[in-house]
Each structure stands twice: as structure tokens, then as C-alpha cells.
Amino acid sequence: MALIHCAACSKKISNRAGVCPHCGFSISDDPEKQEQAARIRAIHMQQQLMNHSFVALLLFVGGFAIWWWGGEPSDGWRKTVGIGSMALGFGMYLITRIRIVLNKRGR
Ligand SMILES: [Zn+2]
């Protein structure tokens, strides 16, 4: 018996197990199927990260638009909401960039 990594969730499982106890992925000895599952997982992860960076960019641009509407910085709630949204978007974008780099390095 040996420990292998589940092709779907990467957790350690016995190579005798028919189904991964962590995620329910059925284990097969077919390396092509395992390769395919790993590829799908990587694509899903990438798409999720792309969506996150898109939302972050929208938050940033939207915040700037709220704050700067009419060609000059505004005061009051628009300043609060605008700068808050910009800061949130910027932070989220940075975190997503770091996760993209880590995700690429993991393979
Ligand atoms: Zn699994």
C-alpha cells in the first residue's frame, strides 16, 4: 500500500482506496484520467482567481468613479464610499495577484 495524492483535491490517500475519502473523486490507475482531473482543477482555480481580480478591478474603478464624479473629488458619503471601495479593490487585487503567483509556483 502506498500513499498517493488525490487527483481532484491533492490530499493524501491510499492507492487502494476506490474513492477519495476527502472529496469523493473516484480513483483510477489511469494516468490520463488523473492528468485530466488535475488540469480541470487547475483551470477552475485560475478562473476563480481571474474572477476575483476582475471584481477587485471593478471595485477600484467604481470607487474612483463615485469619488471623482463630475471631475473633482467630492466630500461626504461619496468620498467615504469611493475611497473605501478603492481601498477594498486594491487590497483584493494585491491578494489575488499573490494567490496567482503562488498557484503557478505550486505546479
Ligand atoms: Zn480527493
Side-chain angles (χ1 to χ4, degrees), residues 59-68 73-91:
L59 271 175
F60 186 80
V61 172
F64 187 79
I66 290 169
W67 182 47
W68 207 270
S74 52
D75 283 324
W77 72 268
R78 272 173 55 193
K79 187 179 179 184
T80 312
V81 171
I83 291 179
S85 179
M86 273 165 73
L88 193 70
F90 187 71

Side-chain angles (χ1 to χ4, degrees), residues 6-11 13 20-25 27:
C6 168
C9 69
S10 324
K11 287 187 177 130
I13 47 172
C20 170
H22 305 290
C23 71
F25 180 76
I27 312 301

Side-chain angles (χ1 to χ4, degrees), residues 36-52:
Q36 195 181 18
R39 223 173 14 236
I40 289 169
R41 185 165 40 100
I43 289 169
H44 281 172
M45 188 70 184
Q46 254 172 338
Q47 277 176 342
Q48 201 190 6
L49 288 173
M50 282 299 143
N51 285 343
H52 280 184

